[in-house]
Amino acid sequence: MIDLDEFRAKARDWLSTMAGEFGREARRGLSPEQDLALGRRYMAAKYEAGFGGINMPVEFGGRGLSGLHKIVFETEEMEIGFPTVYFGISLGMPIPIIMKFCEDKAWVRERVIAALRGEEIWCQLFSEPAAGSDLAGLRMKAEQDGNGWKLNGQKLWTSHAHLADYGIIVARSDPNVPKHKGLTYFWVDMHAQGVEAKPFELLDHEVVCNEVFFDDVKLTDGQRIGPVGGGFGVALATLMIERYVAGDADGFGPTIPFFVDFARDVELNGRPAIEDGRIRSAIARNYALRNGLRSIRDRAFLMMEAGMEPGPEGSLSKLASVRSRQKLSELAIDLRGAAGLAYDPDAGSKEDWVSSWLSVPTGRIAGGADEMLLNTIAERILGLPQDHRPDKGVPFNQIPA
Amino acid sequence: MIDLDEFRAKARDWLSTMAGEFGREARRGLSPEQDLALGRRYMAAKYEAGFGGINMPVEFGGRGLSGLHKIVFETEEMEIGFPTVYFGISLGMPIPIIMKFCEDKAWVRERVIAALRGEEIWCQLFSEPAAGSDLAGLRMKAEQDGNGWKLNGQKLWTSHAHLADYGIIVARSDPNVPKHKGLTYFWVDMHAQGVEAKPFELLDHEVVCNEVFFDDVKLTDGQRIGPVGGGFGVALATLMIERYVAGDADGFGPTIPFFVDFARDVELNGRPAIEDGRIRSAIARNYALRNGLRSIRDRAFLMMEAGMEPGPEGSLSKLASVRSRQKLSELAIDLRGAAGLAYDPDAGSKEDWVSSWLSVPTGRIAGGADEMLLNTIAERILGLPQDHRPDKGVPFNQIPA
Amino acid sequence: MTILYDEAQEAIAVESRRVLDDKYDLQRLLDLVDVTGSFDEELWQSAVEQGWTALAVPEQYGGLGLGLVELGLIAQNLGALTVGVPFLSGNDAFVQLLLAGSDEAAREAWLPRIAAGEAIGVAALGEGTSPFPAAPAATVVDGKLSGSKAAVAGALKADAAVVWASANGKPALVLVELDDTMRRAVDSFDNSRLYGELVFDGAAATVLLEGEAARKAALKALARLAVVTACEQTGGGEQAMKIARDYALERKAFGQPIAAFQSIKHRIAEIYGLVELARANCIDAAARESEADFVLKACAARLSASEAYDTAARDAVQIHGGIGVTWQLGLHLHMRRARSLSAELGSPLFWEDLLVSELEGATA
Amino acid sequence: MTILYDEAQEAIAVESRRVLDDKYDLQRLLDLVDVTGSFDEELWQSAVEQGWTALAVPEQYGGLGLGLVELGLIAQNLGALTVGVPFLSGNDAFVQLLLAGSDEAAREAWLPRIAAGEAIGVAALGEGTSPFPAAPAATVVDGKLSGSKAAVAGALKADAAVVWASANGKPALVLVELDDTMRRAVDSFDNSRLYGELVFDGAAATVLLEGEAARKAALKALARLAVVTACEQTGGGEQAMKIARDYALERKAFGQPIAAFQSIKHRIAEIYGLVELARANCIDAAARESEADFVLKACAARLSASEAYDTAARDAVQIHGGIGVTWQLGLHLHMRRARSLSAELGSPLFWEDLLVSELEGATA
């Protein structure tokens, strides 16, 4: 297998040749449709260049390298701001799940390659209006229908569902057993009769999430993934895949050097703000926090490289980095006083404090709200008791709504 | 009734004549025994001067003035640092309770006057090893014994029990009913056969709290306060008395002006620390917090004076002020760096940062831990649900220990 | 002045809230967010009809002659509903500065129109990042004002401004009509605040006050602006707290309302504490306008109210989970307003510094 | 240097903890708190026997020639048990400063004795409230040192010090034997740190380094001291967190372990996060000693470890309720140690400023 440093060098070379056509600058001012089209072309180019499906098995069209190779590539790729956002979930969870669970290998290989090339997009239909943090509380109904199944109900928060060709979905196949036990997992064709995705706007006008309605949508039993009633287990396996995805110590917001430059420019009491103790404190504290997160990540990489299981402290990354980003963004805006009131909707959240501040609440919720992450740390790492759960062991249809 | 301003003026006059004999300076270097003896003499002088039992009924030996008069006097009194600490609980809860509930009025009058003059001290025997925040979880056993009762068990955290002549106590008279329902309330003679108070040290060597053991201690039924099984109600009434006692916006620690003076003296990077933004922030934030608490208190006084019920926001006082004191004390010590390591055990916690810092954890727990205060605000003021309580409605002797 | 509300004040609080609740329209507010220069004209008309513009104008100029306490009660209700009319505090600062000067003609010209809702005034004190520069760069020479002043709420629709400027090497407060003034509109994340920089290029300016008298009057006007804004922030914080509480009681997860989880429950209790401290500081400050420590108290109100609203808005969104970050729910209106009210009068750091300076003055 | 521990390092961590656990005696530690000039002699003897004094001394001077990573592992264990022997970090700084200079005779005289546990050294850098004054007031004239240096851990028992002083108008590092030096003992809230001010009145001083070379060596020694101390703080924080966790699992209220209440549960999880960030920064810094950004990384370790220990100690006491504030439980040993380790190397504010200065240097 190609050595990591050599791989990084190759990746950098290739990425730098792509920056002009597909990078941050090339995307400025594009409509969402144009940006998606650009993204599809970039994915195809990436696949041709041998950087698609880096750690996926060769038999499915991947490159058969390690997860570390993938992380190295993506870290470099993120710097340049390519239009990859549409394909992250698609390739992150649904594709690995169908590779792992679906039996028709030829069909899977077709799907994987189409997804890697940006030709097809998959979405993940988990959350519902009454089932967010409490995933097992979902109500989407899956009924036996002849040899197959019939889906009825509503999903919510489904990212990119309006762009998606396929989806993975968890539904309730048996309401008479406790809630974790009555779920079954399927893949669905998003173009099938009865599926309707309605995108809606987030607080910064971003259109990513959808309500998705299922009205008597027919599935074959071949679309089932895992056993009947075993859907919660497959869902957990799906979510576990997220665990080793590269985080960002800056919480996907501006970096500390970016803040330092800002604090040199902006004035406080007629002097550069960076001379003020409060600003120095904010810089130092946030630097220390993010340096710690980077050190944790680096150690995890080294352990994976050495064939060891990384420590559980990796679960701090999103929790700590996004909160750090939120506070620093607020401070930056306030520091500018009346001059901080302006907003440029086209600015990116890594380069603009207002954009960062407006989109950060989504980051604190997506992929596990702070409160759920704290529970996970407390329960799984520290062995503290689960919260009281009145719904535990109660048949789903007897839990008061 | 004497007007408040006139009363304040009279109180100030009298207090200033007492400062030399009984004030902070006079107490410096005294042994605990000497300080207590001085305190008893001060209480007697106060009673003679007409400032004892300010808001207690005249029939019991009090002065029959309003609660506001009492608060005005005590605010002035606190400034001078008299040795009143031994009598605060005694006069604060047990004496009002016996005035309210005991039927032998002549006996009550004797006790009240003796307590006001500092001749007798009462303690409050509530908490136990397994019953702190969860008072109703107490285990002290009260068994019917002929016409009277017999107490067996242990109390904990009883302030001044080793100095006390009498106490009020809650005990479990019936373990077969849910825990709030099986309690009965009594007064006890602390010199009776079988009572043993063992004082112990807190982390700053202060000796206030006791373990108190009861070994077949006999009581008459006349010592019962309230109905059999009605002890929890009387206990709550006792705790409610605390509610309108004057708080201290400085959390019984150093004031903001004291910190300002300190921050002018201490150097940071070769300049007075007060010029640094972080120090200015700490001053401003803590000033704003404490000014808010003072405004809440002043408004409560005015409402009481106008015959209205003050708002529930008074319950913030201890929670907010003691946390503010803790953080500011830590900052002050750290600011001095290596020079902040010295400790003078004789210094008071309103005038010395290390003393304040060492004793502040007790303040965060005594009179309701932060967590309990937040629960009270959430449940009683905001109408949020009670925590899950697996012991609710379960007979006491069936709750797993 | 007492810190207990009298009956008339209680009535103002209740009645103004009723009017606002009647007029409240979430969709209208959402529509305003993205359009620079937009505000809620319908609601403003009601405000004028209700006499809110006349409230703190002296009776001799056609006003009701009421004070900071009453104004604060209205501001609190405006804040609670994140209304799209940014004129109350600016008008008041404008009125106060005219009253502080000695130009009776200017007062007679403007105050009745302000009271009647026919004109809108602002105080333009800040420049760059500073809400109150010691030596303003805007300069008056021979009655002509040049220079630019930082974005002020309401500026895009204002008819006149009192401007903090330099004249003859000393600071001064000058009155300027804005008919011909260039306004650099700010495309903001909270557009119904009508933010605009004012750019003066030889505008006719009447000097109201000069030197130390001007500085004192400007500082006091800024402090009063801070108190009115703090009331607005307190109202916003309280409302965000209540929205979070109601949602936490209704939303269930794991078989119980999420309010039963202490991470939610205690957080709401902490916000309650911040809101009550802010309210207490606002009441205290409003009652001490004529005292020597008014600026100090105003700083305390400003700081605690900014913290309360900021925390309430941030946590309310977080407590809502996914639904909290949707455009349509509109909870982001509180998040936006919390930030805009915090930034528009200068950062908390400015107010911390000012508070300590006042405290140092008092204890020196 | 890698940031994964190798087998030898893992062994040091496990073995040193075993030795310390064997020797741990709460009552002995409690007895030390109030007695100025006391320390845990028995434990110190074990430390010497275990070779911890020789650990980071080069082999040519009778040491084991190991580095900061190994030292940090021992420090972490010392911190976990709030031991009463304050010599590890001071010895190390003393050794490092002798190594930085070029006085081979001094090295040969002192390093073998330090390694053998026969002598104790300290670095006396601070004065007044500053842990590292730019222009030290202590002055060397004609080989005689005068002036006083701020309290240093271990000073009351130290045999020699490297002192940050001024010589010929330039900063210098000088070696002084302390036999005849007056030590102003500090009656402290954490007496087993053996704090004493050193008061020099014409003590014989050997100049090790002068000028910019001295400044660089002193800053690097201070940074290394900060990393060793940060490891000690991290160990203390982790232990306080575990004590709180164990108590919360065992203590019941309202019919369930208090750990089931989110206010307790989430607080412990937050402390876990702080401890892991501190550990990660310590590991990172220890591995970068020879890099240009070592001081920067040391500042990060110092700041996050101070915060972690402070929070862990404060919250552990609070989580314990009443029992937590008793003398006899001894949890206050963590509270005291958290404070003393935070203050003895200068306040967090100093380290914040230093971190930003380093960062500004790096990104300028």
Side-chain angles (χ1 to χ4, degrees), chain A residues 35-192:
Chain A
D35 195 52
L36 171 60
L38 190 74
R40 293 192 196 265
R41 288 202 300 279
Y42 170 71
M43 294 300 282
K46 178 158 88 173
Y47 189 77
E48 299 300 333
F51 293 111
I54 291 170
N55 67 331
M56 291 184 186
V58 177
E59 56 177 302
F60 289 120
R63 303 291 155 178
L65 299 173
S66 76
L68 268 178
H69 288 83
K70 173 170 180 278
I71 289 168
V72 161
F73 182 85
E74 288 179 351
T75 304
E76 299 291 331
E77 187 183 41
M78 192 164 67
E79 296 287 308
I80 310 181
F82 292 114
T84 57
V85 63
Y86 313 100
F87 314 99
I89 291 170
S90 179
L91 296 171
M93 276 78 75
I95 290 295
I97 285 292
I98 65 166
M99 286 194 293
K100 183 163 176 188
F101 288 94
C102 291
E103 284 169 19
D104 182 347
K105 299 301 173 195
W107 178 85
V108 170
R109 185 183 155 87
E110 264 178 52
R111 297 286 75 66
V112 174
I113 293 173
L116 287 173
R117 297 181 60 94
E119 294 159 2
E120 292 177 357
I121 292 174
W122 286 67
C123 63
Q124 174 173 315
L125 299 138
F126 281 20
S127 295
E128 295 184 7
S133 294
D134 179 13
L135 174 63
L138 63 84
R139 294 173 189 188
M140 169 71 60
K141 217 180 336 176
E143 293 163 293
Q144 301 262 10
D145 181 56
N147 289 332
W149 299 81
K150 195 175 67 184
L151 292 182
N152 277 290
Q154 184 195 346
K155 291 287 174 180
L156 188 60
W157 308 117
T158 317
S159 295
H160 307 308
H162 60 303
L163 311 174
D165 304 288
Y166 296 96
I168 47 176
I169 192 166
V170 200
R172 185 163 308 281
S173 50
D174 185 353
N176 301 300
V177 295
K179 63 184 193 175
H180 292 81
K181 306 197 168 165
L183 306 177
T184 301
Y185 197 112
F186 305 91
W187 66 263
V188 292
D189 178 352
M190 293 296 287
H191 306 298

Side-chain angles (χ1 to χ4, degrees), chain B residues 17 105 123 134 139 144 162 174 207 229 234 265 279 302 310 327 335 339:
Chain B
T17 65
K105 299 301 174 195
C123 64
D134 179 13
R139 294 172 189 189
Q144 300 262 11
H162 59 304
D174 185 352
V207 179
V234 186
D265 287 343
I279 305 307
L302 287 172
K327 291 286 188 162
L335 265 182

Side-chain angles (χ1 to χ4, degrees), chain C residues 231-277:
Chain C
C231 291
E232 197 168 343
Q233 292 171 306
T234 302
E238 181 173 25
Q239 187 71 10
M241 189 260 292
K242 286 180 175 168
I243 292 171
R245 179 195 63 184
D246 292 348
Y247 182 76
L249 284 169
E250 171 202 313
R251 171 77 180 177
K252 287 200 173 129
F254 306 107
Q256 59 183 342
I258 62 172
F261 293 99
Q262 280 188 340
S263 61
I264 306 292
K265 179 177 166 178
H266 285 187
R267 203 174 323 176
I268 298 172
E270 296 277 11
I271 303 171
Y272 167 83
L274 293 176
V275 168
E276 290 306 323
L277 287 171

Side-chain angles (χ1 to χ4, degrees), chain A residues 129 134 157 201-203 205 267 269 278 326 330 334 337-338 341-343 357 364-365 371 388 390-391 401, chain C residues 34 129 187-188 251-252 254 256 267 314 318 321-323 325 327 335-336 339 342-343 347 349 352-353:
Chain A
D134 179 13
W157 308 117
E201 290 180 285
L202 296 184
L203 60 80
H205 286 305
E267 281 198 357
N269 299 325
R278 288 161 289 201
Q326 187 168 44
E330 290 173 356
D334 284 357
L341 298 161
Y343 171 48
W357 162 71
R364 283 188 62 193
I365 290 155
E371 296 74 17
H388 168 59
D391 57 354
Chain C
D34 297 320
T129 60
D187 297 318
S188 175
R251 171 77 180 177
K252 287 200 173 129
F254 306 107
Q256 59 183 342
R267 203 174 323 176
R314 187 195 305 120
Q318 178 68 16
I323 194 81
V325 299
W327 174 263
M335 187 180 136
R336 291 167 190 272
R339 184 94 285 106
S342 173
S347 77
L349 285 71
E352 289 171 353
D353 287 336

Side-chain angles (χ1 to χ4, degrees), chain B residues 117-147:
Chain B
R117 298 181 60 93
E119 293 160 3
E120 292 177 358
I121 292 174
W122 285 67
C123 64
Q124 174 172 315
L125 299 138
F126 280 21
S127 295
E128 296 185 7
S133 294
D134 179 13
L135 174 62
L138 62 83
R139 294 172 189 189
M140 169 71 61
K141 218 182 332 179
E143 294 164 291
Q144 300 262 11
D145 181 56
N147 290 333

